Structure formats: C-alpha cells, structure tokens
Amino acid sequence: MSRRKLPDDYQKTIRALSDRIVQAQTPIRVLDAVKWDDSVRQGFLKHKGKSMPAVDRAYYENRPLAFDATEKKLEFQNIERDITRHLGQFNPVGQIMRRMCKEYRMVIRMLEARGTADFGLISQELYGAASDAFHAGDPTLADLGLMLSDYLNNIADRGDLKDEAKTLTAKDAVDLLQSRLGPVFGDDTIRVFESDGIVADAAAGADYIKIRADAMFNERDVRALEVHEGLVHVGTTLNGQNQPICTFLAKGPPSSTVTQEGLAILMEVIAFASYPTRLRRLTNRTRAIHMAEEGADFLDVYHFYREQGYSTEESYGSASRAFRGSLPGGLPFTKDLSYLKGFILIYNYIQLAVRKGKLEQIPLLFCGKTTLEDTRTLRQLVDEGLVVPPKYLPPQFRDLNALSAWMCFSNFLNHLSLERIEADYANIL
C-alpha cells in the first residue's frame, strides 16, 4: 500500500483538531445521563409492577448533566468552525470531524430534552427508528424483529437448544475472560474485573471489561462476551488509541455505535458465539422499541416481557432500556436498534466488498470507532499515512479466506427464491 508523505504542519493541524474533539466529548456520558437509578426500580417492584415507574421531567432535572450544555455546544461549534478554517470545506478528514461535532451537539440537545417528547425524536435522528427501511421497498427493522421472533418460536421447544445452567459466577467469568483476552491484547493491556455499578451483565471500556458482581453465566455467555466486548469493543478502542494523528477514532458518536454494535453481532455469528436466547434478547429490544413508537407505554412493554416468561426484575430491566431518558409513556430511546440494524448494514457491506473484490476495505472497520460511511475515506487516509491499519484484529478478519468464501456463497444464495425452495422441499422436510 503506497503512501505519500504529507507535510508535518498538516499532520499537526489534524492531530490538534482531533485532540480537541476527544477532549470536548470526555464528560458526555449518554448512558449515565439517561439511566434510571435503583430507587425507581425498587419503587416499581414495591408496587408489584402495577404502577408506572416514578419518572417525570423533574426526575431528570434533579440529575443535572456533568457539563454545561450551552458551553459544550458552543465548544463543538467552535471546533467545527476551526476545522473548516484550517482544512477547508471538502477535506476528507475534515468532513468526518465536522460530522462528529454536529452529532455531539445533537447528543447534547437530546440530553437536554430528557423527559420531554423531543428526547425520543432526537434519539430517532441519531440512532434511527424501528419503522426505518434499509432500502426503498425493503422490510423495516420492526419487520426483521417479528420475522426473527417467528423463527425462534419454531425452535423454542427443542430440548437440545435449551441454555445450559448458569453455574459460573462473576469471578469465574472474570478469570476466564482475563485468561482468554490477555494473550490477544497483552496481559498488561486489558483488565477484566467485577463491578457493582452497572445494569448490564458486562460493559466494555477503553482497556477493560466490567462484569456485574451479582450476575451468573454459562460457557456460551462468556464466549459471547469474549467476542463482543473483548475482540470488537475493546479491540476497536485500542486501535483508535493507537492512531498517531486521527485520535478521534478512539471515541465514537452515535453513527459509530450502529457500526460497532453491528460488527460485534456479526463477530458473534461468524465465531459461532451466538445462540437463540441471545438472538431473542436482541429481537425483543427491537420489538419493545417498535411497540413504544406505536404508542405502548412502560407497562405494556413490561407485560410483553412477562408474557415471554421473563421474571419481574428481568422484565423491568428490559422495559426500562426502552424508556430510559424518556418518560414511561413517551417515545423510546432507540439506541438498542443499533444491534440488528448494524448487523444488516455491516453484513451487506462485507458481502458487497467481496463481490467487488475490495477485500482490503474490510479490516478498516477495526481502525477505531469507525462509521460505515467513512470506510472509503479511511482507505484514502491509510494511503496518506494519516490513519494506521488496525493492530488488533479478530482471526476471522486477519485471514479473510473463510469469510470471503462464505460471502461468495451468500451472494449467490441471495438470488434464489426462498418461496420456491420451500415449495420444492415440501416433500422432504
């Protein structure tokens, strides 16, 4: 891959502007700002799930943001202005950085609107809506969720697909993940530890994975965390931190969330780390968001989960994901659409890259917290030496032989009619 030497002052200008974006976004913690604290959960359970969670506009006003919203929006606006002044309107890396500044300003507007109707509307602008189609005339995300639920229902009663018992403690999961990820990233690079302060079973940071102290796991759960949180989320963060000039790739606005979560789900699938229960959890999140977009309130979504056999606490936790940042009767927080939406977009991208013979584009998805629409520009930036190729790559993306073969078959299979196949196979299946 040939690289042309760029002037040092040009590289320094990009690095300085990039560092300003990284610094400016530091106090913005979306999930911390929108989550409901434990008192809401306790109050809901105290009333045995018969009353709405005690969350209103005043609830959020009593939980101020960790930064001054007006000053922070102005800071990003000034960075955006300076990007244009120093790099011009059409500079490729400048266009990426300006879009990031715009997204962060929109994120701040969304957080300012917590507990109002605008929160859900801005969330849809940032992460999409369940009613969005992938292409004109194609099924929507809501359609995908229903279709996958139907498939899962068809195999739900098979005894051989039931989950193994969750016999691994948080400490067991920590030890297993540390032993598996240590050799990948270096024993001193990544830390896995227990935490009491998270809602999900696990959460990835820049160079660590937190495991909820009271969670229980089975071997499949741990394998999924290894692939999803470790190989993808930690891997792309470390690759972003390894960038000498485009340091903004270490941090991701909402557009990168869709790409990163989609990449993580794809990795689960091609590494054989996913399983029906995991997939149902993702499809349920999409269905819950669609229900809320169609007018369902918190109790409707809560009972949706209860009817599927989830416990009271599990149903509360899942329903609250859809309404965090909003009101129990408001529009949903749509970030959880990122998983299935991102999977479809990434899968289609890789499939098309194989069809067109552009395999070199695929590993660039791991350069940092990338956004799918920037991959062509990233290739140009790698050629110019402004972006370095990813240091950490999962085996499936380090050697593209198997992935390419799979996508070649997939490209052909897409041209076959499933309706015709079903009719032809009726007598043998």
Side-chain angles (χ1 to χ4, degrees), residues 132-147:
D132 291 346
F134 290 99
H135 305 284
D138 279 359
T140 66
L141 275 169
D143 294 330
L144 174 62
L146 288 171
M147 182 189 72

Side-chain angles (χ1 to χ4, degrees), residues 296-313:
D297 62 23
F298 182 93
L299 290 178
D300 295 324
V301 175
Y302 168 79
H303 288 300
F304 161 73
Y305 279 102
R306 289 289 288 141
E307 288 164 3
Q308 294 197 54
Y310 292 96
S311 70
T312 299
E313 295 221 11

Side-chain angles (χ1 to χ4, degrees), residues 181-233:
L181 295 174
V184 175
F185 297 110
D187 290 332
D188 297 329
T189 302
I190 184 170
R191 297 171 296 124
V192 187
F193 56 89
E194 296 180 51
S195 173
D196 293 321
I198 58 175
V199 176
D201 287 347
D207 58 357
Y208 63 83
I209 298 175
K210 295 189 291 188
I211 303 297
R212 199 179 80 229
D214 62 349
M216 296 293 293
F217 304 88
N218 57 35
E219 176 58 37
R220 290 185 190 275
D221 297 329
V222 175
R223 174 60 176 155
L225 292 176
E226 174 191 352
V227 170
H228 187 115
E229 307 291 350
L231 298 185
V232 176
H233 289 330

Side-chain angles (χ1 to χ4, degrees), residues 330-341:
L331 286 173
F333 179 47
T334 58
K335 176 186 175 293
D336 277 348
L337 296 177
S338 301
Y339 300 94
L340 295 186
K341 178 180 181 180

